[in-house]
Amino acid sequence: LCKKSDITELRSMKKPPAAVKLTLDALCVLLGVVTVDQRTGRLVTAAGAGGDVGEPRAKSEDTWDAAKRLLADGCLVDKLLHFDKDSIKPDAMALFRERFLPDPAFAPAKIASVSAACKGLVQWMRGIELYSREVAARERVELTTHGWGRRALEDARAALAEASVLLKAGAGDERRSA
């Protein structure tokens, strides 16, 4: 992944190169620190992300400030190493896939020419995305091969048919007694 000294180097940048900013924007998206403003399409700091617990952040804040707060966490490397891959919100993963994966500048080889630390982060994020895709594909295969979805639909249809028969029988009984 990367070393603490790499993180310190990134944090000390006053005006990071575009590749560094791109990498850290993507990391902030995956970690839920930033999101996208639906009106403008710009990345903005997620309310309540970063800083002290419960401290809301201004949505208009520059994402570099959010990234610097993330980099200031002395345990960031450990958190990434022990990251719960299944905890990423679907909308964050969708935004990551839409905004960063198609970007040719988001390739580890291109990022490496600017920052070794960012190269490691990009490889980590691409690995997380691949894991997410594989889990989703496995779940789809399990549903179709085991027929869980089909079986549940058939059970629901059978229950509906049974209820319809009972309802019709009940309506016929009421007519006869009237």
Side-chain angles (χ1 to χ4, degrees):
L1 192 56
C2 57
K3 299 176 278 193
K4 277 191 173 186
S5 60
D6 295 332
I7 300 295
T8 302
E9 177 187 325
L10 292 175
R11 190 176 62 226
S12 68
M13 294 179 175
K14 298 290 183 218
K15 290 188 176 186
V20 170
K21 186 153 178 12
L22 178 70
T23 301
L24 294 174
D25 281 352
L27 183 64
C28 286
V29 165
L30 278 184
L31 298 179
V33 176
V34 299
T35 187
V36 70
D37 183 325
Q38 296 301 320
R39 290 180 300 116
T40 64
R42 293 186 60 220
L43 290 178
V44 293
T45 304
D52 297 330
V53 176
E55 178 188 346
R57 295 286 179 195
K59 283 193 151 266
S60 62
E61 179 181 28
D62 180 21
T63 57
W64 177 241
D65 291 335
K68 284 194 299 189
R69 273 196 312 281
L70 186 65
L71 293 170
D73 183 349
C75 300
L76 178 62
V77 174
D78 289 333
K79 286 180 180 179
L80 295 177
L81 287 173
H82 299 99
F83 184 72
D84 178 9
K85 299 174 288 295
D86 299 314
S87 69
I88 297 176
K89 294 179 181 167
D91 58 332
M93 183 56 74
L95 178 59
F96 175 79
R97 286 179 176 139
E98 173 188 314
R99 185 162 287 200
F100 299 102
L101 280 185
D103 191 336
F106 195 67
K110 292 212 179 199
I111 298 285
S113 66
V114 177
S115 167
C118 286
K119 175 188 175 192
L121 290 171
V122 168
Q123 289 172 324
W124 179 84
M125 288 183 279
R126 285 181 170 272
I128 294 292
E129 190 277 332
L130 178 62
Y131 169 84
S132 176
R133 249 187 306 132
E134 292 295 322
V135 166
R138 190 176 319 121
E139 288 173 354
R140 281 192 304 274
V141 167
E142 286 177 358
L143 280 175
T144 56
T145 58
H146 296 296
W148 293 336
R150 233 176 283 133
R151 191 175 316 133
L153 180 60
E154 290 169 2
D155 290 347
R157 285 182 176 156
L160 178 61
E162 186 179 327
S164 294
V165 168
L166 291 174
L167 186 61
K168 287 178 185 175
D173 289 344
E174 287 180 13
R175 281 191 217 133
R176 281 185 227 135
S177 63

